[in-house]
Amino acid sequence: MVPILLLVVCLVTTVASQDTCAPLGPCSCEIEGKGIVDLSSIGKIGVAAFPSLTPSISTDPSSYDLNVCYGFSKNRCQNTTCCQSVSGTTFACGYPSQVDYSVDVGTNNVIMTYKSNDGTIQRSAIITLICDKSAKTATVAAQGESRDDRDNYRFTLTSICACPGGCAGTTLQPTTVPPVICTRKDACSCEVEGRGIIDLHSIAKQGAWTGLTSSMGSDPSNYSLAVCAGFNDGACHEASCCRTTNGTKYTCGRANAFSFGNSHNTGNVIIEYLGDDAGVTVVELICDMSVYGVKVVALGEKMEVASTYVSPSNIGSLIGRASLSHSPLK
């Protein structure tokens, strides 16, 4: 017998672990062992930090207004972080509450992606964060939308705040919008001291807006909305908000359970209606002198928060909403 020698060769390949950036909110994420990437000192509340951006992609005719962390409003873009303007029409291309973080394999740059969904098209603002420890002032370049990558809008943001630990814990504060205090007069009106009365009685006479669909892709519901006066629709009685999900209706805001307040993000006056399930419907009043009449935009509810129907820009559990624009509010 001829002895046979068996040699077993083990090849061990070492694969470097890929960094991830764990989300901490719409402004920041944390890379384990490296630190927190925090852009809260760059974003502005109620206005775009980087307005009127021209894309470098020559086939993109748009202009963009971009913010990080906080929402702003411009025409049809309501409480958004990205607003695309094309031939006089605006489209929201990202909401503060809908943000994802990733890390580029080749460059280790953090990428933050804000998303929006109008029920038909999902748009994404994809922002690559370039760490530059000498860049005390943030700058943004817009690449825009390419023909082979529709509905994805790309930007680069260069700042020391894009570096892990670069701005975490700093005392810098974002620009804030002063709140508007509106003292209740009745169910349809409130008074801003020194500026006048916001009177919605003429809107109440129009009844409810029905068949409103949420622009948040995670919300399959339809909504009916009214201000001031209640309406009845199936199981919804004396409602300001009635939600229909899979054929079932329930009251997401009662006409007799309301209060006036102001949006922490924009400073606009809001009306909050308490629903039957302890949820809250928030109607934000947006003064737009170019709007003759009323237009309503429903953002709806984010699915993991089952009892709240409010502004997606508010941090924490305040995440869906219906916004109302009326001109003039006086």
Side-chain angles (χ1 to χ4, degrees):
M1 175 181 292
V2 178
I4 299 175
L5 178 62
L6 296 178
L7 297 178
V8 179
V9 180
C10 295
L11 298 177
V12 179
T13 303
T14 301
V15 180
S17 60
Q18 170 63 35
D19 283 335
T20 59
C21 207
L24 301 177
C27 279
S28 59
C29 63
E30 184 172 8
I31 301 177
E32 185 177 359
K34 294 184 178 181
I36 295 173
V37 175
D38 186 350
L39 305 183
S40 58
S41 60
I42 296 176
K44 294 185 178 182
I45 297 178
V47 294
F50 307 98
S52 303
L53 297 172
T54 300
S56 59
I57 297 176
S58 60
T59 55
D60 185 351
S62 309
S63 66
Y64 297 91
D65 296 278
L66 185 70
N67 203 22
V68 290
C69 307
Y70 313 103
F72 67 93
S73 297
K74 178 182 179 180
N75 299 333
R76 291 174 58 188
C77 297
Q78 299 297 321
N79 284 331
T80 183
T81 48
C82 174
C83 184
Q84 178 193 29
S85 299
V86 186
S87 301
T89 303
T90 56
F91 302 93
C93 41
Y95 292 118
S97 64
Q98 300 183 48
V99 60
D100 294 323
Y101 299 93
S102 60
V103 179
D104 185 89
V105 176
T107 63
N108 286 326
N109 292 325
V110 173
I111 300 172
M112 61 191 313
T113 301
Y114 291 108
K115 298 178 181 180
S116 71
N117 193 318
D118 62 6
T120 303
I121 299 174
Q122 178 171 294
R123 298 178 171 88
S124 298
I126 303 168
I127 308 170
T128 299
L129 307 182
I130 308 297
C131 169
D132 184 344
K133 294 184 178 180
S134 68
K136 305 300 183 182
T137 300
T139 58
V140 165
Q143 289 74 53
E145 177 190 29
S146 65
R147 289 179 174 175
D148 57 356
D149 192 21
R150 292 293 190 188
D151 305 317
N152 289 320
Y153 313 99
R154 298 184 182 274
F155 307 86
T156 56
L157 184 154
T158 303
S159 170
I160 186 176
C161 297
C163 307
C167 291
T170 63
T171 57
L172 297 174
Q173 296 296 324
T175 301
T176 58
V177 176
V180 175
I181 307 301
C182 203
T183 303
R184 170 181 169 177
K185 296 182 69 67
D186 58 29
C188 280
S189 61
C190 63
E191 184 171 5
V192 180
E193 185 176 359
R195 297 176 61 182
I197 295 173
I198 293 177
D199 189 345
L200 306 180
H201 283 87
S202 61
I203 294 177
K205 296 176 183 179
Q206 298 177 15
W209 293 276
T210 60
L212 299 173
T213 58
S214 169
S215 63
M216 302 182 72
S218 58
D219 185 353
S221 305
N222 291 323
Y223 295 88
S224 297
L225 177 71
V227 292
C228 308
F231 64 93
N232 299 319
D233 183 7
C236 298
H237 299 287
E238 290 301 313
S240 279
C241 175
C242 181
R243 181 183 184 187
T244 304
T245 306
N246 297 326
T248 301
K249 298 178 183 290
Y250 61 91
T251 303
C252 48
R254 301 195 303 273
N256 62 353
F258 71 95
S259 62
F260 288 94
N262 70 278
S263 168
H264 297 297
N265 291 336
T266 64
N268 291 327
V269 173
I270 60 176
I271 310 175
E272 297 180 300
Y273 294 99
L274 183 65
D276 284 346
D277 60 352
V280 177
T281 291
V282 170
V283 180
E284 182 174 3
L285 307 179
I286 300 171
C287 177
D288 186 342
M289 299 302 290
S290 68
V291 176
Y292 294 93
V294 184
K295 62 180 181 182
V296 177
V297 179
L299 295 187
E301 177 195 31
K302 194 171 182 179
M303 295 301 287
E304 56 262 37
V305 182
S307 63
T308 310
Y309 316 82
V310 287
S311 170
S313 299
N314 293 339
I315 310 306
S317 63
L318 307 182
I319 332 184
R321 89 147 176 169
S323 70
L324 179 150
S325 178
H326 177 249
S327 174
L329 295 179
K330 64 181 182 179

